[in-house]
Amino acid sequence: MAEIILNAQSVHKHFGGLVALKGVDFQVARGEVVALLGDNGAGKSTLIKCISGVYRPEGGQITFNGHEITGHSPSSIRDAGIETIYQDLALAENLDVGANVFLGKEKKRKVLGFIRVTDDEYMRQEASKVLDRLDIHIPSLKQRLVNLSGGQRQAVAIARAIYWNAKLVIMDEPTAALGVPEQRKVLALVRSLRDQGIPVILISHTMTDVLEVADRCVVMRRGRVAANLPQGQFDAEILVKHIVGAGELSA
Ligand SMILES: Nc1ncnc2c1ncn2[C@@H]1O[C@H](COP(=O)(O)OP(=O)(O)OP(=O)(O)O)[C@@H](O)[C@H]1O
Ligand SMILES: [Mg+2]
């Protein structure tokens, strides 16, 4: 395996009496797309939120590029280069594309020598460069996010991740609410990230998406890792067996 950049070991997380993660080991190597699968409630989103800093695990250790990030704040984990994109995207509906790429880190310019205003033109130009690099076409970058489709918004979120030099991109069910052409676009973006050496963790219930882009599949079941399958060792049937736990019954 290539150099491991994310290493989560023995991660435990509970919500009151409910144990959501029971000693989860999970790694990501440079430039690979790892699909994270599992039935509803298996613990996928909880694991992602422990990695992105939304939750603080009660046990275990998470390192990124060799640095401990366990329990760090979401903003410091973003600064370290881990960008998490959720279906309910954390974008600003009423701002345009450029402003969303710069959200929270707006570029300012001075007018009349002392009044600082946001430099919308600069932000749109920079946004347009990243979008081009990713081969994403949005008719007008002056469009406010409310007027964009789900896939276009997803693309803006990905563009933002790239612009700020994400070193790992996590997507929690990015294609769930999208039409077919937009799903294709998001999958193409996942590949484009990998081709630029940026690893992706993709959570998806859509088997065809997983089979199309994953270099490795990790299946979770009831808070544990049930299977960790490199390319060549998984197909739809094998994955479904691990997801429902049929392998354990016959073993
Ligand atoms: N904030 C929370 N408070 C209490 N329980 C939670 C919380 N978040 C998750 N859980 C519980 O933890 C378990 C794992 O949930 P999680 O959201 O990680 O599942 P998932 O694998 O992402 O499922 P899905 O495919 O449905 O998104 C579930 O039993 C869930 O009910
Ligand atoms: Mg989830």
Side-chain angles (χ1 to χ4, degrees), residues 15 18 20 38-47 55 172-173 205:
F15 299 103
L18 186 137
D39 211 348
N40 296 122
K44 306 177 297 294
S45 295
T46 303
L47 176 62
Y55 296 148
D172 196 343
E173 305 201 39
H205 287 281

Side-chain angles (χ1 to χ4, degrees), residues 156-177:
V156 172
I158 293 169
R160 182 174 66 169
I162 300 289
Y163 186 79
W164 295 105
N165 293 318
K167 298 186 185 80
L168 168 66
V169 173
I170 304 176
M171 299 181 180
D172 196 343
E173 305 201 39
T175 62

